[in-house]
């Protein structure tokens, strides 16, 4: 990945507040629209309850897909939207660690309205490390990255 590609991804991630997280259950995939945050290394962060189906899916099947796009501000009819499909490995961020504190700050900087959820001991934070990313902005600005 070159610097221009990384910047395009960081720009897309920064301008969107929600993404679709797709997890694999025992029988069906599950897609959930929810708030996310990104790190400078392109890791994606999500929070969820311990009992959530998506969390249980991640524990059993940590390979996930995340879809991020600008259809909310783009021109869908002419496909003038930026979009990325991120396939990656999900892992839980251990609570009460320096990593948790750092990533919590990253998440809440982007999503301050999620702060009350951090009061629950049942909250889990998941970090997704990208393995493959497909990006397109319109129909001519496209690239595919594998890590």
């Amino acid at each position: 990945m070159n610097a221009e590609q990384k910047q395009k991804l960081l720009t897309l991630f920064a301008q969107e507040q929600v993404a679709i997280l797709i997890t694999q259950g025992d029988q069906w995939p599950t897609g959930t629209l929810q708030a996310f945050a990104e790190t400078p290394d392109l890791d994606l962060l999500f929070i969820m309850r311990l009992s959530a189906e998506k969390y249980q899916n991640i524990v059993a099947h940590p390979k996930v897909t995340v879809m991020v796009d600008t259809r909310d501000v783009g021109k869908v009819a002419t496909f003038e939207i930026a979009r990325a499909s991120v396939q990656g490995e999900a892992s839980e961020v251990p609570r009460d660690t320096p990593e948790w504190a750092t990533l919590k700050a990253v998440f809440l900087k982007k999503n301050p309205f999620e702060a009350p959820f951090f009061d629950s001991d049942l909250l889990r934070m998941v970090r997704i490390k990208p393995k493959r990313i497909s990006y397109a902005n319109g129909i001519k600005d496209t690239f595919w990255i594998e890590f």
Side-chain angles (χ1 to χ4, degrees):
M1 168 175 49
N2 64 39
E4 180 184 4
Q5 292 169 328
K6 184 175 183 179
Q7 189 55 53
K8 286 179 181 183
L9 289 165
L10 287 171
T11 298
L12 170 60
F13 296 162
Q15 75 186 61
E16 291 301 316
Q17 206 140 11
V18 294
I20 299 170
L21 172 62
I22 303 166
T23 62
Q24 180 60 50
D26 290 331
Q27 292 185 333
W28 305 102
T30 299
T32 309
L33 180 68
Q34 63 184 91
F36 79 102
E38 68 284 346
T39 70
D41 294 328
L42 302 175
D43 291 353
L44 301 178
L45 307 172
F46 292 89
I47 60 171
M48 56 199 72
R49 289 182 58 86
L50 174 67
S51 61
E53 180 182 16
K54 60 192 162 222
Y55 177 76
Q56 298 303 318
N57 288 348
I58 285 170
V59 170
H61 310 282
K63 292 182 178 170
V64 302
T65 299
V66 178
M67 306 291 296
V68 182
D69 65 61
T70 61
R71 73 181 103 167
D72 57 326
V73 295
K75 296 178 184 174
V76 175
T78 55
F79 229 55
E80 295 174 57
I81 56 174
R83 57 215 178 270
S85 173
V86 180
Q87 295 172 317
E89 298 272 344
S91 62
E92 183 175 344
V93 178
R95 289 184 75 92
D96 302 321
T97 64
E99 178 186 31
W100 172 274
T102 298
L103 295 178
K104 175 184 174 183
V106 169
F107 190 87
L108 289 177
K109 182 177 180 186
K110 183 171 184 175
N111 305 292
F113 55 90
E114 299 276 13
F117 293 107
F118 282 88
D119 293 337
S120 172
D121 290 337
L122 300 177
L123 182 80
R124 298 297 182 258
M125 186 174 1
V126 173
R127 169 190 264 178
I128 298 170
K129 292 204 163 282
K131 300 298 179 190
R132 299 170 17 161
I133 301 176
S134 171
Y135 172 90
N137 190 352
I139 57 175
K140 295 183 182 190
D141 181 9
T142 64
F143 59 86
W144 178 266
I145 303 166
E146 221 166 317
F147 298 90

